[in-house]
């Protein structure tokens, strides 16, 4: 039996930690899939509950040296961890700052000769010891865990680099104190070890704070759910916990209250603030029959709603689940970075050892310069920036998308959306509203009287056309009588008796059957039909008195949305199972040139496949119905509307929660901005290591015109550069929130 776990993990310091957990979990019997993210500090584990238990998975992670915290206590645990890291940093600053001043003052001759006395080295040791033993403790523990698990991570590099400088200095101090002399020189590097640890701790604190900002918006989403609801039971109000609401319950929502569950308005009218999903500040008017979403705010009128989705099935709950899954998934571009990171530490360690040996034995520079080269390489090469480059950008992008009602199923969908070159739009329910409305009323008499009489005749009809006529009359506030007789003529229309009037409503064929003359409105009828509208002839007592035109109207934003897609360099096509005349009329209104009409569901999938073969870029299919599902699955990127069927949403790679087609261009822009950010992050992470490792190894040493600290890349400078690289990657990802999409 397949289960999904999302486990908050503490104790991860770099991408190798995440890789270690992933590798060991995948070896367990019953584990079907594992994704561990350093950026989110979560492990997403899919497992067979009949083979392995949740407790065994948690125990395995803890055996590896990491901890799994309870989700209810996650925020408190992470806050306490941040405070602990902050205390360590403060201790580091308290001891490192005077140590650094003393060391630099002695090196540059600012202080007196007393600073060269042997006891000063012991004073410097006293300053460095708390930093090395307390502030650096996490790196020693993490390094030991990594080596025990047969891997190497950032902790190993930091622990090795700082320990070499610290222990070397301690050996020199002991030898000088005993007047025994030393073959390693007389200079100590206690300040180097302390500054390395303190700078890296500062970088991790800044990184944690920035990552916290990325997660903050998503963390707040579940808090938007109201805790209680007001249920109407036999006319009485019952205030109950939200968990007790059932599907079909009638709930009362007053002005200023949050909508408790997803539902349909049964009575009342109001303006609803849906900015939590759409980002739009303008409220949306809701009347009977309209859908409402949990956690949106009722602003003006009192509503009664019928619950249709509760708990984990609400749009907000699905949004949170999908965003969390996307943030923990890895887009294809990260595979190269992961492959490099997994072998990076052993390679760097080898380079450091070889550099040390070359400078000591082959070049003959002596132990101290060779040791400093080794320390600089170990410190500068920490792969934190590589591990953070992709997931921090993905986290930021999925959070932005969620706020705008754009849900990416996984990291791959987020990456590929920006490469779309062809967009195929379904007609009904996608380009159009998906419901019939009365668009035209033609009569020589009063329009309201014609509509009122037609609605009375259609009142007994279950046909969508009849409901559209009745709905139009209700919108105008017209009173609608009940017909004394009613008969539906399948495929043609209806006949009814309204008061003393015999009413016939239907197509031209029905008029001919009743031998009713239609010459008066024939030209108007032909014009309306060319506009993809269904024409209803209205005859009373054997005489045609007017026409009603009914159509599935094009969405108000469709033309703008299509224009934006063209601006992004995409080709836009439309496909439909409807007839060619109707399809061409809708496409003309939306300004779409390529039209595929009269297609069956399997034909739609074949059409998408043909476009994929003809185009070098990626093809997206946008739809909302069951009949669109094969095409959604066939497309490189399937995009479903949030108001569509469940199976369409499940099949699609991207869901537009509020069905606004303008979100298509936003999704593409967001993907492109995200990929630019990821590539920038990876470039600087790789460039940083490619550039600084050779510098640390001594590539600039022959250039005597450069400052000595740069020629030798002092370990303190290397520590600063390493910390800055990780922070810069996270800050660059944060810039996505200011990108215009």
């Amino acid at each position: 039996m397949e289960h999904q776990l999302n486990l908050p993990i503490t104790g991860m310091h770099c991408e190798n930690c995440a890789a270690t957990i992933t590798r060991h979990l995948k070896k367990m019997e019953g584990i079907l899939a594992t994704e561990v993210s350093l950026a989110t500090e979560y492990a997403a584990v899919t497992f067979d509950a009949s083979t392995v238990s949740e407790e065994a998975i948690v125990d395995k992670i803890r055996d590896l040296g990491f901890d799994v915290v309870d989700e209810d206590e996650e925020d408190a645990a992470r806050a306490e961890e941040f405070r602990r890291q902050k205390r360590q940093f403060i201790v580091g600053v308290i001891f490192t700052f005077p140590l650094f001043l003393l060391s630099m003052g002695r090196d540059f001759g600012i202080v007196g000769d007393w600073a060269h006395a042997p006891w000063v080295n012991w004073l410097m040791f006293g300053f460095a010891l708390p930093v090395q033993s307390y502030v650096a403790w996490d790196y020693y523990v993490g390094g030991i865990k990594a080596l025990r698990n047969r891997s190497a991570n950032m902790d190993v590099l930091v622990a090795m680099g700082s320990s070499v400088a610290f222990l070397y200095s301690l050996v020199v101090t002991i030898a000088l104190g005993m007047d025994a002399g030393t073959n390693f020189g007389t200079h100590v590097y206690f300040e180097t070890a302390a500054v390395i640890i303190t700078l890296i701790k500062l970088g991790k604190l800044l990184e944690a704070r920035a990552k916290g900002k990325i997660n903050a918006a998503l963390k707040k989403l579940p808090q938007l759910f109201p805790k209680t609801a007001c249920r109407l039971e036999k006319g009485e109000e019952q205030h109950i916990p939200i968990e007790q609401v059932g599907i079909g319950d009638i709930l009362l929502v007053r002005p200023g209250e949050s909508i408790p569950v997803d539902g349909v308005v049964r009575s009342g009218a109001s303006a609803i603030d849906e900015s939590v999903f759409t980002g739009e500040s303008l409220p949306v008017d809701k009347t009977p029959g309209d859908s409402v979403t949990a956690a949106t705010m009722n602003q003006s009128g009192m509503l009664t709603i019928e619950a249709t989705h509760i708990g984990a099935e609400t749009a907000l709950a699905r949004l949170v689940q999908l965003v969390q899954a996307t943030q923990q998934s890895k887009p294809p571009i990260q595979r190269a970075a992961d492959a490099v990171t997994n072998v990076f530490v052993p390679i760097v360690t080898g380079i450091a050892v070889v550099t040390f040996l070359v400078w000591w034995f082959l070049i003959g520079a002596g132990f101290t310069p060779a040791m400093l080269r080794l320390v600089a390489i170990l410190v500068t090469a920490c792969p934190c920036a590589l591990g953070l480059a992709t997931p921090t950008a993905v986290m930021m992008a999925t959070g932005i998308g969620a706020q705008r009602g754009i849900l990416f199923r996984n990291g791959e969908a987020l990456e590929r959306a920006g490469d779309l070159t062809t967009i195929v739009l379904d007609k009904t329910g996608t380009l159009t509203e998906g419901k019939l409305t009365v668009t035209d009323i033609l009569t020589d008499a009063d329009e309201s009287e014609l509509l009122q009489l037609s609605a009375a005749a259609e009142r007994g009809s279950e046909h969508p056309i009849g409901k559209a006529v009745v709905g139009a009359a209700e919108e105008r506030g017209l009173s609608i009588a009940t017909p004394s007789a009613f008969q539906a003529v399948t495929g043609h229309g209806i006949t009814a008796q309204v008061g003393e009037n015999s009413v016939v409503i239907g197509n031209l064929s029905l008029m001919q059957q009743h031998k009713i003359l239609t010459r008066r409105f024939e030209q108007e009828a032909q014009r309306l039909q060319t506009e993809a509208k269904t024409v209803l002839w209205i005859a009373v007592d054997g005489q045609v008195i007017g026409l009603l035109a009914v159509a599935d109207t094009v969405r108000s934003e469709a033309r703008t949305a299509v224009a934006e897609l063209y601006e992004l360099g995409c080709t836009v096509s439309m496909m439909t199972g409807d007839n060619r005349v109707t399809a061409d009329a809708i496409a003309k209104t939306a300004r779409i040139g390529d039209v595929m009409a009269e297609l069956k569901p399997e034909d739609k999938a074949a059409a998408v496949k043909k476009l994929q073969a003809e185009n070098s870029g990626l093809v997206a299919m946008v739809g909302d119905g069951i009949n669109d599902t094969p095409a959604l699955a066939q497309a490189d990127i399937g995009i479903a509307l949030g108001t569509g069927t469940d199976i369409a949403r499940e099949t699609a790679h991207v869901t537009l929660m509020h069905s606004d087609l303008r979100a298509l261009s936003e999704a593409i822009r967001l993907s492109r901005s995200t990929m630019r950010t990821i590539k920038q992050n990876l470039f600087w992470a790789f460039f940083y290591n490619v550039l600084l490792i050779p510098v640390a190894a001594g590539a600039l040493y022959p250039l005597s015109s450069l400052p000595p600290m740069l020629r030798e890349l002092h370990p303190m400078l290397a520590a600063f550069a390493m910390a800055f690289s990780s922070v810069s990657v996270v800050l660059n990802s944060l810039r996505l929130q200011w990108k215009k999409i």
Side-chain angles (χ1 to χ4, degrees):
M1 188 174 182
E2 187 174 307
H3 281 260
Q4 174 77 35
L5 271 181
N6 287 305
L7 302 173
I9 297 178
T10 59
M12 291 195 297
H13 298 140
C14 70
E15 186 63 27
N16 283 71
C17 297
T20 297
I21 297 173
T22 301
R23 185 173 66 253
H24 283 82
L25 287 182
K26 285 184 175 179
K27 292 179 181 178
M28 295 180 66
E29 185 179 359
I31 300 296
L32 306 177
T34 302
E35 288 286 357
V36 182
S37 171
L38 170 66
T40 62
E41 296 182 305
Y42 262 78
V45 184
T46 305
F47 65 100
D48 183 351
S50 64
T51 305
V52 64
S53 67
E54 178 179 340
E55 291 76 14
I57 296 171
V58 172
D59 290 342
K60 183 62 177 179
I61 294 174
R62 288 175 173 158
D63 288 343
L64 295 172
F66 306 95
D67 195 17
V68 179
V69 298
D70 189 279
E71 285 192 272
D72 295 334
E73 302 173 356
E74 179 188 358
D75 290 341
R78 296 204 189 280
E80 176 56 34
E81 175 65 14
F82 183 83
R83 287 192 292 269
R84 188 182 69 82
Q85 296 275 353
K86 188 176 181 179
R87 287 195 298 270
Q88 289 180 325
F89 171 68
I90 292 173
V91 170
V93 171
I94 290 172
F95 287 96
T96 299
F97 187 66
L99 173 60
F100 178 78
L101 292 180
L102 178 59
S103 178
M104 293 299 101
R106 182 167 73 173
D107 290 347
F108 290 103
I110 298 174
V111 295
D113 293 338
W114 61 268
H116 295 277
W119 65 268
V120 175
N121 287 346
W122 286 107
L123 176 63
M124 297 172 74
F125 167 76
F127 280 122
L129 184 60
V131 180
Q132 203 68 34
S133 59
Y134 174 67
V135 182
W137 179 253
D138 291 344
Y139 300 118
Y140 285 110
V141 173
I144 291 171
K145 291 177 184 176
L147 294 175
R148 190 181 68 190
N149 294 319
R150 299 179 182 178
S151 66
N153 60 8
M154 182 202 79
D155 296 333
V156 173
L157 296 180
V158 174
M160 287 177 60
S162 62
S163 296
V164 168
F166 180 83
L167 294 175
Y168 165 81
S169 301
L170 181 59
V171 170
V172 171
T173 298
I174 293 172
L176 292 176
M178 297 173 62
D179 292 326
T182 174
N183 295 325
F184 299 146
T186 59
H187 198 286
V188 294
Y189 294 91
F190 287 119
E191 88 289 348
T192 298
V195 169
I196 287 173
I197 295 298
T198 304
L199 279 177
I200 292 173
K201 184 66 69 174
L202 172 62
K204 297 301 289 182
L205 279 176
L206 294 175
E207 174 191 313
R209 177 164 290 180
K211 285 161 60 178
K213 288 182 179 180
I214 293 176
N215 267 321
L218 182 62
K219 290 281 187 183
K220 291 178 181 178
L221 285 177
Q223 300 172 9
L224 297 174
F225 279 108
K227 300 294 187 290
T228 62
C230 180
R231 182 170 62 191
L232 295 178
E233 190 75 32
K234 296 180 180 179
E236 295 184 0
E237 298 181 13
Q238 298 178 350
H239 293 275
I240 59 174
I242 195 70
E243 295 80 12
Q244 294 182 14
V245 176
I247 294 176
D249 283 354
I250 302 299
L251 307 176
L252 179 66
V253 185
R254 292 182 170 86
E257 294 180 347
S258 293
I259 306 295
V261 295
D262 291 2
V264 176
V265 176
R266 288 303 174 218
S267 66
S270 183
I272 304 295
D273 179 2
E274 297 183 337
S275 58
V276 64
F277 284 103
T278 64
E280 296 292 337
S281 57
L282 292 177
V284 180
D285 291 332
K286 299 290 184 178
T287 56
D290 291 336
S291 60
V292 291
T293 306
T296 56
M297 183 64 68
N298 181 21
Q299 289 194 329
S300 53
M302 186 179 295
L303 297 175
T304 60
I305 66 170
E306 179 182 345
T308 57
H309 296 86
I310 60 176
E313 297 302 317
T314 62
L316 180 59
R318 294 199 307 270
L319 183 151
V320 173
Q321 293 166 3
L322 191 54
V323 172
Q324 287 176 336
T326 304
Q327 289 185 337
Q328 291 161 14
S329 67
K330 295 181 179 181
I333 195 172
Q334 191 171 342
R335 294 171 189 162
D338 287 349
V340 172
T341 301
N342 291 337
V343 299
F344 192 72
V345 175
I347 291 176
V348 167
T349 304
I351 292 173
V353 172
V354 170
T355 300
F356 171 77
L357 296 175
V358 167
W359 277 89
W360 190 9
F361 293 108
L362 294 184
I363 297 178
F367 177 85
T368 301
M371 182 269 295
L372 290 177
R373 298 282 181 196
L374 180 144
V375 173
I377 292 175
L378 291 176
V379 172
T380 196
C382 292
C384 302
L386 286 176
L388 292 168
T390 299
T392 52
V394 170
M395 288 171 63
M396 196 71 226
T398 50
I400 292 170
Q403 291 173 358
R404 304 187 73 88
I406 304 168
L407 301 185
F408 297 93
R409 180 168 295 278
N410 50 41
E412 183 175 0
L414 174 61
E415 177 178 336
R416 302 185 82 195
D419 295 328
L420 291 172
T421 58
T422 302
I423 312 293
V424 182
L425 300 169
D426 173 54
K427 179 183 75 70
T428 305
T430 302
L431 268 172
T432 66
E433 295 289 351
K435 61 179 181 179
L436 296 175
T437 57
V438 175
T439 59
D440 300 86
I441 302 175
L442 299 178
T443 180
D444 293 328
D446 182 80
E447 288 187 2
S448 295
E449 290 182 2
L450 175 68
L451 182 59
Q452 186 176 34
L453 182 63
S454 302
E458 293 278 13
R459 188 165 184 174
S461 175
E462 292 296 324
H463 195 280
I465 291 178
K467 290 182 177 181
V469 174
V470 173
E474 290 176 342
E475 287 179 5
R476 294 196 181 195
L478 302 176
S479 60
I480 305 174
T482 301
S484 57
F486 174 87
Q487 181 180 4
V489 183
T490 304
H492 297 285
I494 61 107
T495 61
Q497 186 70 30
V498 180
E500 298 179 356
N501 298 315
S502 175
V503 182
V504 179
I505 302 177
N507 56 21
L508 188 60
S509 176
L510 185 62
M511 297 298 113
Q512 292 171 346
Q513 289 178 25
H514 286 265
K515 299 180 180 180
I516 298 172
L517 298 177
T518 58
R519 188 176 305 168
R520 164 65 186 85
F521 293 99
E522 282 182 352
Q523 290 185 349
E524 288 87 344
Q526 291 174 1
R527 175 180 60 80
L528 292 171
Q529 287 174 334
T530 60
E531 296 174 0
K533 298 174 181 178
T534 299
V535 176
L536 301 179
W537 296 79
I538 316 298
V540 178
D541 298 329
Q543 299 292 324
V544 172
I545 63 170
L547 302 176
L548 292 179
V550 178
D552 182 6
T553 56
V554 175
R555 291 179 181 271
S556 58
E557 80 280 3
R559 182 178 294 186
T560 302
V562 171
E564 290 177 353
L565 292 173
Y566 284 137
E567 289 177 4
L568 291 172
C570 297
T571 300
V572 183
S573 302
M574 187 191 83
M575 64 168 55
T576 179
D578 213 335
N579 62 76
R580 171 62 63 175
V581 173
T582 300
D584 287 341
I586 295 295
K588 183 179 179 181
T589 302
R591 295 184 177 175
I592 298 174
D594 183 35
V595 180
M596 295 169 277
E598 302 177 10
L599 300 179
K600 297 177 182 178
E602 58 271 25
D603 296 332
K604 291 184 177 182
V608 170
K609 189 173 183 179
K610 181 180 178 183
L611 287 172
Q612 289 171 317
E614 295 173 349
N615 292 275
S616 57
L618 301 183
V619 177
M621 171 65 192
V622 187
D624 71 320
I626 294 175
N627 62 329
D628 299 322
T629 303
L632 290 171
Q634 174 62 44
D636 297 300
I637 297 289
I639 303 176
L641 303 189
T643 53
T645 60
D646 290 341
I647 190 171
R649 292 197 301 268
E650 290 298 321
T651 305
H653 306 91
V654 181
T655 300
L656 307 181
M657 291 294 291
H658 284 275
S659 306
D660 189 328
L661 292 178
R662 289 171 295 189
L664 287 170
S665 58
E666 291 183 358
I668 294 173
R669 290 193 191 98
L670 178 58
S671 172
R672 292 179 181 179
S673 294
T674 304
M675 292 311 299
R676 279 196 299 270
T677 300
I678 290 175
K679 290 173 182 177
Q680 290 167 359
N681 289 348
L682 289 175
F683 170 79
W684 286 112
F686 278 113
F687 177 79
Y688 155 81
N689 285 296
V690 169
L691 176 67
L692 290 189
I693 289 177
V695 173
L700 299 181
Y701 188 78
L703 304 178
S704 57
S705 60
L706 295 176
M709 200 168 196
L710 184 58
R711 289 173 62 206
E712 298 176 3
L713 192 64
H714 195 281
M716 286 190 297
L717 185 60
F720 173 80
M722 189 278 281
F724 177 76
S725 69
S726 295
V727 174
S728 64
V729 161
V730 178
L731 292 178
N732 190 45
S733 297
L734 281 170
R735 289 175 59 242
L736 276 169
Q737 63 187 312
W738 296 297
K739 296 280 188 180
K740 185 177 180 180
I741 64 167

